[in-house]
Amino acid sequence: MSVVEQYTRAHIVTDADRVEDTAVPVVLRYDPERDPRSVRVGLPDRREWTFSRTLLEQGLRAPVGTGEVRVWPCGRVQAVVEFHSAHGVSVVQFESKTLLRFLRRTYTATVQPVSH
């Protein structure tokens, strides 16, 4: 089994006065050796969040989560992942197809070769 790492860009949603529509670099990671049920999202502030792969998958179809991480679809082509910490809330908007591609790769990484 191998580590899946996908570099992408996402939008950090903020209530700041500046209105810039710039995407920031984000890293999606999955390490089946470390924890086969979890995915990690690395944000530009060097904070990395670890949460259930199932939460991410379900959140692409309907709002899920009640703790530190919440995920929900946003229109037809986007999804939002909301991270809560003692320092505040980070709301990150992804293209749904990016998250779907990542999830497909994680399931491929966990498939064991068949021995004959």
Side-chain angles (χ1 to χ4, degrees):
M1 292 188 278
S2 60
V3 173
V4 174
E5 192 168 76
Q6 183 171 319
Y7 293 86
T8 189
R9 297 186 73 73
H11 295 272
I12 304 285
V13 180
T14 178
D15 60 357
D17 290 337
R18 339 176 270 164
V19 180
E20 290 183 33
D21 190 25
T22 57
V24 297
V26 176
V27 180
L28 305 171
R29 288 188 182 95
Y30 173 71
D31 185 348
E33 296 290 328
R34 183 174 176 179
D35 185 353
R37 293 182 303 238
S38 296
V39 293
R40 293 179 285 157
V41 176
L43 299 177
D45 64 0
R46 300 181 193 266
R47 173 78 196 245
E48 188 170 79
W49 293 84
T50 302
F51 58 97
S52 164
R53 179 170 61 166
T54 302
L55 180 79
L56 180 60
E57 185 175 12
Q58 291 174 348
L60 295 175
R61 294 187 301 274
V64 295
T66 56
E68 291 184 339
V69 180
R70 300 168 190 177
V71 184
W72 67 88
C74 181
R76 291 179 165 186
V77 297
Q78 296 181 330
V80 171
V81 182
E82 186 177 282
F83 302 101
H84 293 255
S85 73
H87 304 292
V89 177
S90 295
V91 179
V92 185
Q93 191 172 37
F94 290 90
E95 286 190 20
S96 297
K97 68 181 180 182
T98 298
L99 297 176
L100 283 168
R101 186 178 323 116
F102 172 69
L103 285 168
R104 275 191 216 110
R105 291 179 65 210
T106 69
Y107 286 110
T108 301
T110 58
V111 174
Q112 296 293 323
V114 177
S115 301
H116 291 280

